[in-house]
C-alpha cells in the first residue's frame, strides 16, 4: 500500500509540473517561439510519464484486490 501511495504522490507532482510547462509554453508563444516549443516538448515528455504511471497504478490496484 505504501508503494501505491508513493506512486500517487509522484503522479500528482508530475501533473503539477505538466500544467506549469503547458502554461509556460502558452505564455512564451507570443515572445519566444523556440522557448515555447521546448516547453511543449518537455510537457509532452512529462505527459508520457504520467500515462505510464496511470497504467502502473491501475495494475497495482488490480493486484491489491
Amino acid at each position: 500500500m505504501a508503494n501505491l501511495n508513493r506512486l500517487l504522490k509522484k503522479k500528482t507532482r508530475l501533473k503539477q509540473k505538466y500544467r506549469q510547462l503547458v502554461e509556460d509554453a502558452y505564455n512564451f508563444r507570443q515572445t519566444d517561439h523556440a522557448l515555447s516549443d521546448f516547453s511543449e516538448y518537455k510537457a509532452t515528455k512529462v505527459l508520457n510519464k504520467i500515462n505510464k504511471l496511470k497504467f502502473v497504478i491501475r495494475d497495482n490496484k488490480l493486484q491489491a484486490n
Side-chain angles (χ1 to χ4, degrees), residues 33-64:
H33 295 287
L35 201 51
S36 174
D37 290 345
F38 185 67
S39 186
E40 280 186 48
Y41 171 76
K42 288 190 339 186
T44 303
K45 298 290 273 185
V46 171
L47 185 60
N48 286 335
K49 288 181 184 180
I50 292 169
N51 289 334
K52 286 179 185 177
L53 267 178
K54 282 182 185 179
F55 179 78
V56 170
I57 290 169
R58 184 177 65 218
D59 191 46
N60 272 348
K61 285 182 181 179
L62 290 175
Q63 288 177 356

Side-chain angles (χ1 to χ4, degrees), residues 1 3 5-6 11-12 14 20 22-23 26 29-30 35 43 48 51 54 56-61 64-65:
M1 224 33 188
N3 192 27
N5 289 336
R6 191 172 46 123
K11 182 180 162 191
T12 303
L14 286 172
Q20 184 62 47
V22 169
E23 183 179 342
Y26 177 78
R29 189 165 288 149
Q30 297 299 320
L35 201 51
N48 286 335
N51 289 334
K54 282 182 185 179
V56 170
I57 290 169
R58 184 177 65 218
D59 191 46
N60 272 348
K61 285 182 181 179
N65 292 332

